């Protein structure tokens, strides 16, 4: 493209602008006739700003105001500050006296282009200003985030309109000052000539939502109805969001139901509100309504529902969502696909998780990391490390979370040397910094292996203060290997960090008991009782025919409790014949051994496993979830149960999955 009209005359075969030949001829004729203003207007219509501004320089007489307006408008749209300055310079030097309209456009152009100094200069030099002039200046400061400057100009305004108030309400809202936004909205209500519009009210509603002020939100809702704005569906969406954020989910739902044309954002927002308030059933039901509606869910909808399935370990629902995603089509590179992988891994279905990752030509880091973590938790550390190698081969750069999962894989498999190698590679090979989580994993790895001198060295050399998770790992390792001295040090640190956690007291009592230090064990139990802290009760759950059954240790409320206890009694006799010895040392109450053994029978995971076996056909796999770590006796007992019943029993405790089959566990008794 040539840069001037003169070059067009010299090289007629080159087009002056990308348009048809007729337009070229028009510009040529107009320029020959010295009708530059009209030629500039033609160029403006073609959005050829540079050429139009160049041609402006050839005009000896100033063009009409409309031509300047066209040029300034295009400069504003293109955020073309340099061309805008040239137009402004031409206005000043041509002798043209701009009116209020052109000055307003110049102020707006400079503000939109980010040159507020020039905007303010034009504003200050204006001999006359109208309300639009003030509004443009207020809005310029507001959009730049300079709320104080915007407020100063606003306060100086001789008169204000709805646009002025809206600019300030919106500005305060965007700058995370919702209280000021609501205060400004209240002042606006007192102005006789100011009438709120949809934009003002939407900003005020958003501010009420930010501070979760339901009283103010309801007041604004009343204004909406009185002002006759309650037919605007965008505003309904804002009100729905406000009620949801304020925890008034039923009112949010009533507004949602009034929206005639619901977009996917409204559906997704309403579904997420149910999930955040733990009203899972209603959230899933609304998602089902979305599926049968004409609106198609997007990746945000899928991710929200799948993340909830992950939290609740409701794999069956997750599978249905996966099926729907497959039918309607989804982006395999979206975070919805990553959420799908995460859901399957957290529910212990590694085959499905693997299929999702394998079906993607270029899995993202989140998918790789979820798969690695899933294999680590499911007792398949070799596969976890294999997929880490595949991640590196794919060119994907691991992050600190990836290495947490890699180190966890080494920890669960007892691969100490391999774990140390990976730990050092984080900085030496991959250029990342060690995080507190990495040190916690390393200490856990060493403590589980009884390498306590190295544990002390790591803690002393850490660049950050050890966390409660690290000290808990030390305490866990000491419990396994009977290191009382280091356990006491770890317990002191934990009592300092979180004195309200009963797990520390219980673990220390168990360590003392195992070491035969009954006096210390008694003191620890007494100390726990004096604090008034109660241990979190163990609970386990399983799903049979899409219904969740929850069991708590010693709870007799389940309808099949009698059958479950009777069946566990039968199993216990068979287990003893196979060599099972109850770990009665774990029951530290002052009762007879027979009673201790009886107490062990009613642990929540045993109840859940027995129920699942009784409620499913022979040979069917059983899956149970638990809120705490599995105890030694339950772990031993379920190994025997898997052999006797010829069932594959999967138990996910708070740390990992245990897959019991034919008398063996996938963790290889290393957890």
């Amino acid at each position: 493209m040539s840069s001037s009209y003169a070059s067009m005359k010299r090289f007629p075969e080159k087009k002056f602008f990308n348009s048809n030949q007729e337009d070229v001829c028009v510009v040529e004729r107009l320029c020959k006739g010295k009708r530059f203003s009209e030629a500039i207007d033609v160029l403006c219509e073609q959005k050829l700003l540079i050429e139009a501004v160049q041609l402006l320089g050839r005009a000896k007489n100033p063009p009409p105001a409309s031509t300047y307006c066209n040029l300034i408008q295009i400069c504003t749209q293109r955020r073309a500050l340099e061309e805008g300055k040239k137009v402004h310079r031409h206005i000043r030097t041509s002798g043209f006296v701009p009116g209020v309209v052109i000055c307003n456009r110049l102020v707006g152009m400079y503000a939109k282009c980010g040159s507020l100094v020039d905007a303010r200069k034009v504003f200050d030099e204006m001999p006359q200003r109208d309300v639009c002039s003030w509004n443009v200046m207020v809005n310029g400061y507001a959009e730049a985030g300079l709320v104080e400057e915007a407020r100063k100009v606003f306060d100086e305004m001789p008169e204000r309109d709805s646009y002025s108030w809206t600019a300030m309400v919106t500005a305060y809202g965007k700058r995370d000052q919702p209280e000021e936004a609501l205060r400004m909205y209240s002042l606006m209500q007192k102005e006789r000539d100011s009438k709120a519009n949809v934009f003002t009210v939407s900003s005020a509603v958003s501010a009420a939502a930010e501070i979760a002020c339901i009283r103010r939100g309801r007041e604004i809702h009343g204004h909406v109805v009185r002002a006759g704005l309650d037919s605007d569906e965008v505003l309904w969406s804002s009100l729905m969001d406000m009620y949801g954020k304020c925890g008034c989910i039923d009112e949010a739902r009533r507004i949602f139901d009034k929206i005639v044309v619901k977009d996917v954002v409204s559906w997704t927002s309403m579904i997420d509100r149910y999930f955040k308030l733990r009203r899972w059933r209603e959230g899933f039901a609304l998602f089902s309504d979305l599926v049968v509606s004409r609106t198609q869910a997007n990746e945000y909808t899928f991710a929200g529902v799948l993340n909830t399935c992950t939290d609740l370990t409701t794999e069956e629902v997750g599978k249905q969502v996966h099926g729907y995603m497959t039918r309607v089509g989804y982006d395999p590179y979206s975070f919805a696909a990553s959420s799908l992988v995460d859901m399957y891994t957290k529910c212990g279905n590694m085959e499905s998780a693997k299929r999702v990752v394998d079906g993607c030509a270029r899995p993202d880091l989140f998918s790789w990391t979820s798969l690695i973590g899933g294999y680590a938790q499911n007792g398949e550390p070799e596969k976890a490390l294999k997929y880490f190698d595949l991640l590196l081969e794919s060119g994907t750069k691991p992050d600190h979370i990836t290495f947490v999962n890699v180190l966890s894989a080494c920890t669960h498999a007892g691969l100490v040397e391999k774990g140390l190698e990976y730990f050092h590679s984080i900085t030496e090979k991959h250029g990342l910094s060690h995080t507190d989580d990495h040190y916690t994993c390393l200490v856990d790895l060493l403590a589980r292996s009884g390498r306590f001198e190295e544990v002390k060295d790591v803690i002393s050399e850490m660049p950050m203060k050890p966390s409660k998770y690290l000290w808990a790992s030390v305490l866990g390792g000491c419990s396994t290997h009977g290191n009382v001295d280091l356990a006491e040090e770890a317990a002191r640190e934990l009592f300092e960090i979180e004195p309200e956690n009963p797990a520390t007291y219980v673990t220390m009592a168990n360590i003392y008991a195992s070491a035969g230090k009954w006096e210390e064990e008694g003191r620890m139990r007494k100390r726990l009782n004096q604090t008034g802290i109660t241990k979190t009760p163990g609970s386990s759950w399983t799903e049979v025919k899409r219904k969740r059954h929850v069991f708590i240790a010693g709870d007799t409320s389940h309808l099949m409790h009698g059958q479950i206890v009777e069946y566990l009694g039968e199993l216990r006799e068979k287990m003893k014949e196979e060599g099972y010895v109850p770990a009665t040392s774990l029951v530290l109450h002052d009762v007879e051994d027979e009673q201790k053994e009886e107490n062990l029978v009613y642990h929540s995971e045993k109840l859940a496993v027995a129920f699942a076996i009784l409620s499913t056909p022979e040979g069917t796999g059983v899956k149970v979830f638990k809120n705490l770590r599995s105890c030694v006796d339950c772990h031993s007992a379920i190994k025997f149960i898997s052999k006797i019943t010829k069932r594959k029993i999967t138990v996910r405790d708070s740390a990992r999955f245990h897959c019991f089959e034919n008398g063996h566990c996938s963790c290889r008794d290393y957890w």
Side-chain angles (χ1 to χ4, degrees):
M1 183 184 295
S2 56
S3 60
S4 69
Y5 176 69
S7 64
M8 181 193 75
K9 291 186 71 176
R10 289 196 302 272
F11 303 101
E13 72 278 8
K14 280 191 172 182
K15 285 190 176 181
F16 184 48
F17 51 85
N18 293 325
S19 184
N20 57 50
Q21 189 60 38
E22 183 179 343
D23 289 330
V24 175
C25 295
V26 169
V27 172
E28 286 180 2
R29 282 200 310 273
L30 291 172
C31 288
K32 284 178 181 177
K34 308 290 185 186
R35 295 158 64 186
F36 294 110
S37 297
E38 294 173 63
I40 292 169
D41 289 339
V42 173
L43 292 171
C44 285
E45 287 178 8
Q46 297 296 321
K47 307 297 182 186
L48 296 168
L49 178 60
I50 295 174
E51 291 82 356
V53 173
Q54 287 174 346
L55 200 54
L56 179 65
R58 297 187 61 194
K60 293 182 180 179
N61 298 319
S66 61
T67 300
Y68 281 128
C69 284
N70 286 339
L71 286 165
I72 296 168
Q73 182 179 0
I74 297 175
C75 289
T76 304
Q77 292 170 346
R78 298 277 185 85
R79 304 296 191 265
L81 180 60
E82 290 307 312
E83 281 69 31
K85 285 184 175 181
K86 290 176 183 177
V87 175
H88 188 191
R89 194 179 304 121
H90 192 275
I91 291 172
R92 289 201 306 266
T93 58
S94 67
F96 179 83
V97 179
V100 174
V101 173
I102 288 183
C103 287
N104 288 347
R105 292 206 173 196
L106 283 169
V107 174
M109 183 270 295
Y110 279 125
K112 291 286 186 185
C113 292
S115 184
L116 285 167
V117 173
D118 288 314
R120 186 58 191 255
K121 186 177 180 183
V122 174
F123 177 79
D124 289 339
E125 291 174 353
M126 290 176 66
Q128 290 181 311
R129 304 186 190 106
D130 59 10
V131 68
C132 181
S133 312
W134 291 91
N135 284 341
V136 172
M137 199 66 242
V138 168
N139 195 59
Y141 280 129
E143 288 193 347
L146 303 172
V147 184
E148 291 182 7
E149 287 80 355
R151 182 62 185 268
K152 286 177 186 176
V153 177
F154 177 85
D155 289 341
E156 293 170 5
M157 292 181 72
E159 60 175 316
R160 305 181 184 103
D161 61 10
S162 297
Y163 187 91
S164 321
W165 289 98
T166 301
M168 286 309 306
V169 173
T170 304
Y172 280 123
K174 286 183 177 178
R175 293 298 293 174
D176 295 326
Q177 298 181 50
E179 293 88 353
E180 282 299 319
L182 291 173
R183 192 173 294 117
M184 187 64 67
Y185 182 76
S186 295
L187 290 172
M188 181 184 182
Q189 302 305 308
K190 297 173 184 176
E191 290 286 325
R192 186 175 300 173
D193 298 328
S194 295
K195 184 178 179 182
N197 57 33
V198 171
F199 303 104
T200 327
V201 176
S202 291
S203 296
V205 169
S206 297
E210 283 304 308
I211 58 175
C213 183
I214 188 59
R215 179 182 62 80
R216 296 302 307 275
R218 287 194 173 116
E219 287 176 3
I220 298 166
H221 189 177
H223 295 162
V224 168
V225 176
R226 290 193 296 274
L229 299 172
D230 52 342
S231 61
D232 188 276
E233 297 207 342
V234 174
L235 187 51
W236 280 122
S237 295
S238 297
L239 283 166
M240 184 189 78
D241 187 56
M242 181 273 295
Y243 279 120
K245 286 182 177 177
C246 292
C248 300
I249 190 73
D250 294 324
E251 291 181 70
R253 179 58 186 268
R254 280 194 286 273
I255 291 176
F256 174 81
D257 290 339
K258 288 180 181 179
I259 300 174
V260 179
V261 182
K262 301 177 180 69
D263 61 12
V264 67
V265 176
S266 300
W267 282 99
T268 303
S269 176
M270 193 67 230
I271 291 167
D272 283 345
R273 290 292 162 211
Y274 276 127
F275 289 153
K276 283 177 181 173
L277 290 174
R278 305 177 70 82
R279 289 169 64 165
W280 323 114
R281 190 180 298 278
E282 289 156 296
F284 286 128
L286 190 59
F287 177 72
S288 296
D289 293 341
L290 169 60
V291 170
V292 299
S293 75
R294 293 185 178 181
T295 307
Q296 184 171 313
N298 61 19
E299 58 183 317
Y300 296 95
T301 325
F302 293 138
V305 177
L306 288 169
N307 289 339
T308 301
C309 292
T310 302
D311 294 338
L312 298 176
T313 60
T314 51
E315 186 184 349
E316 279 305 311
V317 178
K319 283 180 177 178
Q320 292 173 30
V321 177
H322 187 188
Y324 174 63
M325 291 169 65
T326 303
R327 288 195 301 276
V328 301
Y330 70 97
D331 182 359
Y333 304 108
S334 68
F335 52 83
S338 303
S339 298
L340 192 57
V341 176
D342 192 47
M343 183 275 295
Y344 278 127
T345 59
K346 295 288 173 55
C347 290
N349 188 339
M350 293 309 301
E351 281 302 311
S352 293
K354 177 180 176 295
R355 277 196 295 271
V356 175
V357 173
D358 289 346
C360 182
R362 294 184 305 280
D364 65 6
L365 178 60
F366 186 87
S367 296
W368 283 114
T369 300
S370 294
L371 198 64
I372 292 165
Y375 277 123
Q377 284 193 327
N378 277 274
E380 299 184 84
E382 296 84 2
K383 288 185 179 178
L385 300 180
K386 170 194 167 187
Y387 271 91
F388 177 66
D389 289 338
L390 291 174
L391 177 153
L392 297 178
E393 289 173 15
S394 73
T396 305
K397 186 176 174 61
D399 64 6
H400 82 277
I401 299 174
T402 314
F403 279 106
V404 168
N405 287 347
V406 169
L407 291 171
S408 295
C410 295
T411 299
H412 290 310
L415 302 173
V416 181
E417 298 308 322
K418 194 76 174 170
L420 286 166
E421 182 184 326
Y422 281 124
F423 179 83
H424 294 303
S425 76
I426 292 172
T427 54
E428 295 170 4
K429 187 176 178 181
H430 298 281
L432 299 171
S433 299
H434 285 132
T435 68
D436 178 69
D437 291 333
H438 297 151
Y439 280 104
T440 299
C441 287
L442 181 62
V443 166
D444 193 21
L445 174 67
L446 294 169
R448 285 171 185 263
S449 302
R451 295 167 65 160
F452 294 113
E453 289 305 315
E454 290 171 82
V455 166
K456 293 176 186 177
D457 291 340
V458 170
I459 293 174
S460 66
E461 293 170 4
M462 283 176 63
M464 71 281 291
K465 189 176 180 180
S467 68
K468 62 182 180 181
Y469 304 106
L470 185 145
W471 286 117
S473 295
V474 174
L475 190 61
C478 291
S479 177
T480 301
H481 296 281
N483 188 327
V484 178
D485 293 338
L486 186 56
E488 289 177 332
E489 181 184 344
R492 280 195 297 272
E493 295 290 342
L494 287 168
F495 288 142
E496 186 72 27
I497 298 170
E498 47 173 8
E500 73 287 351
N501 188 350
T504 307
Y505 298 90
V506 173
T507 304
M508 275 309 303
N510 289 341
I511 290 172
Y512 283 135
S514 297
K517 296 191 172 187
W518 299 107
E519 187 176 337
E520 288 86 344
E521 185 270 340
R523 279 203 300 267
M524 188 58 62
R525 295 243 172 225
K526 184 178 179 180
R527 184 176 171 184
L528 174 60
N529 293 333
Q530 288 174 340
T531 62
I533 301 168
T534 56
K535 184 177 180 291
T536 303
S539 67
S540 300
W541 60 95
T542 186
E543 283 195 15
V544 175
K545 295 180 181 177
R546 299 186 181 180
K547 183 179 178 182
R548 176 168 293 199
H549 297 261
V550 181
F551 298 86
I552 298 173
D555 183 19
T556 62
S557 62
H558 196 276
L559 292 175
M560 289 179 60
H561 179 73
Q563 292 172 259
I564 294 168
V565 171
E566 184 181 351
Y567 183 57
L568 281 173
E570 295 172 8
L571 283 175
R572 183 168 52 173
E573 295 306 315
K574 292 178 182 178
M575 287 157 55
K576 285 182 176 179
E577 291 174 8
E578 292 286 339
Y580 164 69
V581 178
T584 54
S585 61
L586 296 172
V587 184
L588 301 174
H589 305 296
D590 187 19
V591 294
E592 297 296 327
D593 282 349
E594 186 177 341
Q595 182 60 48
K596 288 183 179 182
E597 185 178 332
E598 196 70 20
N599 290 342
L600 290 172
V601 173
Y602 303 117
H603 280 191
S604 65
E605 61 263 58
K606 289 194 185 84
L607 296 172
V609 167
F611 166 76
I613 293 172
L614 286 170
S615 305
T616 54
E618 288 186 17
T620 306
V622 168
K623 192 174 287 187
V624 168
F625 298 86
K626 186 181 179 183
N627 66 331
L628 304 175
R629 287 190 69 182
S630 187
C631 76
V632 173
D633 182 73
C634 285
H635 191 270
S636 173
I638 296 172
K639 282 197 295 184
F640 282 100
I641 292 172
S642 71
K643 183 179 180 181
I644 293 166
T645 62
K646 297 181 177 154
R647 299 281 194 120
K648 180 179 179 180
I649 303 171
T650 302
V651 177
R652 196 196 83 175
D653 66 10
S654 61
R656 63 175 299 162
F657 282 92
H658 298 268
C659 184
F660 300 92
E661 198 165 13
N662 196 29
H664 300 282
C665 179
S666 58
C667 75
R668 303 162 197 172
D669 297 338
Y670 191 90
W671 89 100

